[in-house]
Every structure is written in structure tokens, then in C-alpha cells.
Amino acid sequence: MESRRVTKTLEDQWMVERQVREIYDYFYSIPPNSQSVILELQRDKHFGYLTRGLTKLGPSFSVLDANRPWLCYWTLHSIALLGESIDAKLENDAIDFLTRCQDKDGGYGGGPGQMPHLATTYAAVNSLITLGGPKALSSINREKLYTFLLQMKDTSGGFRMHDGGEVDVRACYTAISVASILNIVDDELIHGVGNYILSCQTYEGGIAGEPGAEAHGGYTFCGLAAMILINEVNRLDLPRLIDWVVFRQGVEGGFQGRTNKLVDGCYSFWQGAVAFLIQRLNLVVREQLGLSNDLGTESADDSSDSELSAEEEHLEGTSSHVQETCPHGKEGQENASDTIKIADTGYEFINRPIAMQPLFDSLYLQQYVLLCSQMDGGFRDKPGKGRDHYHTCYCLSGLSIAQYSWTDEADSPPLPRDVFGPYSRNLLEQVHPLFNVELDRYYEARKFFSCL
Ligand SMILES: CC(C)=CCC/C(C)=C/CC/C(C)=C/COP(=O)(O)OP(=O)(O)O
Ligand SMILES: [Zn+2]
């Protein structure tokens, strides 16, 4: 049985390598100005494909399936990354539709009247944050959502995807992600989550969906991001995780999701974001490797002795941050307790200095996404496959991660040399790597929810 899987994987691998090589051979054989044209992000075509996808939800958003908040998220997030926006009518339809997916007892289902589910709750919350503005943000019933999250908590410390559903790392991430971004995270929600995720880190170093299963990029992103959000990332074996993730970038430039499997454009985000997050964990990694965290003469010389870096403060649990002005004039709650401090880990994290170079070849990943995944409107897994909104969302998210992987500070644009293809045409908006929402939309939501 197992040998059949390996044989099939090898045949498939050779086929993908051949198809990708043909694309690259052609690309390298043409003059530079024609190369530049081929590398262009087809913004208008992507925007058209995405808005058609969103409109397909119908005038009253009535298509029947259990994935509609996901379709909203994939399309709206992709549109935000392109720096585009949708018209007011479509925006209102989307807010109304998502409101109808919200369960009266909290959480969001796959469609109106469907049982609430953590995955669609994450998709709906991220969609509403991406839409932004008071109408979208205030439509989320945070009190009821908190109750729903508590109901999904399992005795193992993990979360269930839905009432009676499976407990896995996805559920832990989606629950913690929405609780954190909505500023409703507390000790009761967090309790035992770290133990559960830790039990899913495998001998390879990546993280599996559940204990005893195989390490996979999707779950590794979920596990790592959740551990950072609950401030327990130092419990993971990070050197082993690095060993695992650095070998997931294939000869084609794209990432594979797991050992001996094929590259796929969507892992540009799942694995690319894992590498991006680890770049900001330099001090924890050094500590685990038994290396000194005395960062050397250059940093000691230009900062005062008593001053801790943002990452050191985080490690020491002394982190505080500048409170942004609250638009409603109320005090933020950040300084109230340690728990509230955890609620802002997502903000503190992106403002950390990065002292580690990217753990993957960021230009080569962009090459894979642009030449092998990009289609005439939308993105695909690999050559030979069709486009879809899921791959469009995660190819664009991964492209953004790769473009910004050399920038030292959140909010600063990448250098032209770090963006593959024509700079002004290809440069995307930045994502918040822990939530995968566009960074400015994240800031807006943070300000809005810190005042409630
Ligand atoms: C936030 C959220 C809900 C995250 C989900 C994360 C995610 C993408 C998990 C992957 C699930 C999985 C085991 C796919 C394997 O599919 P496969 O066997 O078809 O693909 P492969 O050959 O590439 O492993
Ligand atoms: Zn995929």
C-alpha cells in the first residue's frame, strides 16, 4: 500500500518537474523585456475573476453549500491584497449575508441557518474585518461568539470544529485567532491549548492535525500561529521545526505541504508564513540552541543597557505597547491584566525586529507563483490544474509574504530587488502573518475592538 503511494508520488513528481522546467526554459529563453511582461501580476483579470466569484453568491447570496463565508474571505482578502475595493452594494450584500450566517447563540455557519462551525466563524470574522467600517465590525456579536468558543473547548485542551465535531489543530488556531483579533481571549479559552498543540509536533519537526498524524504545512501554520498568539511558542521545538520547513521548498520554487508530496501554490502561504513567523522568533530559537542572547557589541553600543528589545520584553513577559487613540474616547483595556496582554500578542509580534534572514528563497517562490500558478484571472495549485478561489487567496497571500520577507519593519515597503517582476505592478499589500488579514484592516479592527 505504502510503496504504491511512493511510486505514484514519484511519477507525479517527475511530471510536475517536467512541466515546470518547460515553463522556466521558455521564460529564460526570451529577452528580458518580454520576461517582464510574463511576470506581470494580471491585476485586472484577477480582480474580475474575484468580483465575479463574490457576485456568484447571488443577489441575495443564496447559493447552497456550507462554504460561503470561505468564498467571501478568499475573494475579499484577495481583493484587499490587490489594493482594490468593491462597490457599496456588493459590500452591503456581503455584510448582510454574513450577518445571516451568524447563529443566534454565537459563531457563524456555512450559510444562513447552518450550525456554527469554527472554520466558517474564522472565515466570516476575517471577511468582516477585511470589509472594515463600523457596520461590518459591529455586526459581530462578540459576547455570544465567546460563549460559542467556550462550548467548543474539549477536555484535551484543544477545540472541536463544531458541536460533536473533530478536535484538531485547525480548531485551536481558528478559535484563538478570532478570540485574539476580537479582543475576547482569556485564560479559560487558552487553558490547555499549548499542551494539545505540543502533542501534535511530530518527530519531523512540523505539526500534524492531531496527535500521531503526519506533519503538514496547513496544520503547522495553525499550530505555530496559535502558540505565538497564546505566548507559548517557546514550548515548541523550534530548531526541529526549522529543519522541517526549510526542506519543504521544492526544486520548482514552490512549497510542498508534507514530505514526499508535490509542490502546490497554496503552501506559498501556509509554509511561507511559517518561515516568516520563525524569522521573528530569533531570540527563542537562539535560547533553545543554547546560544547567547547577548546580541553582540553593535546592538549593545547603540542602545541603553537597561533597554530590552521588543522580543526580549516578550520573552520576559514585560511587554507593553503604545495605546493607539481610541476613536470613541474610551480607555483601552490593555493594561488591565496579563490576559489582556496576551490579547495583544498579535500587535506586539509584528513590531518585533527581525534578526534572521528568510528561511526560504523568496524570489524563487515568487517565480513559482507568477509563472506556474498564475492564470488569466485567478491562481492554481500547479500546471495542469484549474484555478479556484482558495488557491487564488493563498497564492496571493504567499506572494505577499515572500515580497515582504526581507523588510525589517512592519509597514515599510520592500526594496525593488525583493519583489520579483515589475515592482509597482506586482507589489501587493502586506498581510498580518498571524491572522492572514491585510495589515491596515487589522489595525482598524484592533482599534475598534480595543475600545469596546
Ligand atoms: C485556517 C484553516 C482552516 C487552515 C487549514 C489548514 C490546511 C490547509 C490544512 C491542510 C489539510 C490537509 C491535510 C491537506 C492535505 O491535502 P492533500 O493530501 O490533498 O494535499 P498534499 O498532497 O499537498 O498534502
Ligand atoms: Zn493547494
Side-chain angles (χ1 to χ4, degrees):
M1 190 67 184
E2 189 55 26
S3 67
R4 252 207 312 264
R5 170 178 147 180
V6 171
T7 310
K8 173 143 180 11
T9 304
L10 275 177
E11 281 167 7
D12 290 349
Q13 175 63 32
W14 291 329
M15 190 144 73
V16 176
E17 273 182 40
R18 191 169 46 76
Q19 284 173 313
V20 171
R21 203 174 312 121
E22 274 169 20
I23 293 172
Y24 291 172
D25 283 349
Y26 170 70
F27 173 71
Y28 292 126
S29 74
I30 60 177
N33 54 338
S34 308
Q35 284 183 343
S36 179
V37 174
I38 300 187
L39 285 176
E40 272 183 15
L41 193 61
Q42 300 299 315
R43 289 178 171 273
D44 296 346
K45 289 182 177 155
H46 298 318
F47 183 61
Y49 171 66
L50 291 161
T51 41
R52 280 196 305 280
L54 191 57
T55 320
K56 235 191 250 159
L57 284 166
S60 51
F61 285 50
S62 59
V63 177
L64 276 176
D65 73 55
N67 254 347
R68 282 173 286 166
W70 276 115
L71 186 54
C72 289
Y73 170 62
W74 297 330
T75 52
L76 291 168
H77 180 52
S78 299
I79 290 168
L81 290 181
L82 291 169
E84 300 286 347
S85 47
I86 52 172
D87 64 42
K89 159 94 176 68
L90 204 48
E91 190 173 315
N92 268 319
D93 282 351
I95 298 171
D96 290 346
F97 169 72
L98 290 166
T99 304
R100 286 191 289 123
C101 293
Q102 187 164 214
D103 189 84
K104 65 175 179 32
D105 295 321
Y108 293 78
Q114 295 183 23
M115 64 150 42
H117 189 285
L118 275 174
T120 42
T121 296
Y122 168 83
V125 167
N126 276 5
S127 298
L128 289 160
I129 286 172
T130 303
L131 286 161
K135 182 176 175 196
L137 298 178
S138 61
S139 73
I140 304 169
N141 188 333
R142 292 155 77 239
E143 289 73 25
K144 291 270 172 64
L145 182 42
Y146 175 79
T147 310
F148 167 63
L149 294 179
L150 267 190
Q151 280 166 356
M152 293 307 107
K153 219 163 156 58
D154 180 63
T155 47
S156 63
F159 285 85
R160 284 185 189 282
M161 291 305 292
H162 57 88
D163 190 15
E166 66 277 26
V167 178
D168 65 28
V169 171
R170 247 175 346 152
C172 295
Y173 168 68
T174 48
I176 295 298
S177 174
V178 297
S180 176
I181 207 163
L182 297 175
N183 196 14
I184 52 173
V185 73
D186 69 4
D187 288 342
E188 208 175 343
L189 278 179
I190 288 174
H191 182 74
V193 174
N195 289 344
Y196 181 80
I197 295 175
L198 205 55
S199 72
C200 297
Q201 184 168 24
T202 79
Y203 69 94
E204 287 190 283
I207 299 171
E210 51 196 309
E214 184 180 4
H216 190 283
Y219 296 117
T220 302
F221 168 78
C222 290
L224 178 64
M227 287 299 256
I228 293 169
L229 286 170
I230 63 172
N231 209 2
E232 294 185 29
V233 73
N234 58 334
R235 299 181 65 198
L236 288 172
D237 184 340
L238 293 175
R240 201 177 269 251
L241 174 54
I242 292 173
D243 275 353
W244 179 78
V245 78
V246 295
F247 285 107
R248 302 285 70 80
Q249 187 169 24
V251 289
E252 305 87 346
F255 277 108
Q256 61 180 189
R258 46 187 165 140
T259 310
N260 287 331
K261 298 293 307 260
L262 305 176
V263 290
D264 174 342
C266 68
Y267 300 125
S268 308
F269 177 76
W270 302 116
Q271 302 286 30
V274 167
F276 192 92
L277 293 173
I278 294 172
Q279 266 181 280
R280 282 142 187 87
L281 297 171
N282 181 50
L283 286 179
V284 193
V285 173
R286 289 181 63 85
E287 195 174 82
Q288 290 190 355
L289 288 171
L291 299 171
S292 155
N293 267 330
D294 168 9
L295 292 177
T297 46
E298 68 282 42
S299 57
D301 284 343
D302 54 32
S303 67
S304 90
D305 286 352
S306 60
E307 224 167 37
L308 293 174
S309 71
E311 196 177 343
E312 283 166 329
E313 284 183 342
H314 189 73
L315 275 176
E316 310 254 327
T318 55
S319 128
S320 62
H321 64 92
V322 181
Q323 169 66 43
E324 286 193 43
T325 319
C326 171
H328 309 317
K330 287 192 201 164
E331 273 299 302
Q333 301 176 337
E334 275 87 329
N335 296 323
S337 71
D338 280 357
T339 305
I340 298 302
K341 235 183 261 167
I342 286 177
D344 227 20
T345 314
Y347 179 76
E348 180 276 328
F349 188 79
I350 49 168
N351 288 298
R352 286 181 186 195
I354 42 169
M356 209 191 277
Q357 292 190 349
L359 296 171
F360 63 102
D361 185 332
S362 63
L363 289 175
Y364 201 27
L365 179 65
Q366 293 176 59
Q367 177 171 321
Y368 179 82
V369 172
L370 292 166
L371 293 180
C372 301
S373 285
Q374 179 168 230
M375 301 190 77
D376 235 10
F379 289 77
R380 62 185 173 187
D381 159 345
K382 61 173 69 58
K385 300 266 184 178
R387 65 184 177 180
D388 60 64
H389 295 101
Y390 164 82
H391 284 93
T392 302
C393 169
Y394 289 104
C395 283
L396 284 171
S397 304
L399 194 56
S400 172
I401 285 283
Q403 290 177 345
Y404 288 83
S405 60
W406 287 92
T407 56
D408 284 344
E409 286 168 27
D411 304 311
S412 46
L415 294 174
R417 67 165 186 229
D418 299 327
V419 174
F420 204 58
Y423 185 80
S424 53
R425 171 117 194 157
N426 283 15
L427 183 63
L428 293 169
E429 300 299 318
Q430 195 171 0
V431 297
H432 189 305
L434 291 167
F435 305 109
N436 199 17
V437 292
E438 192 271 323
L439 198 54
D440 287 333
R441 316 294 167 97
Y442 162 76
Y443 287 135
E444 184 195 352
R446 176 175 174 273
K447 196 185 269 188
F448 187 88
F449 294 120
S450 68
C451 298
L452 298 176

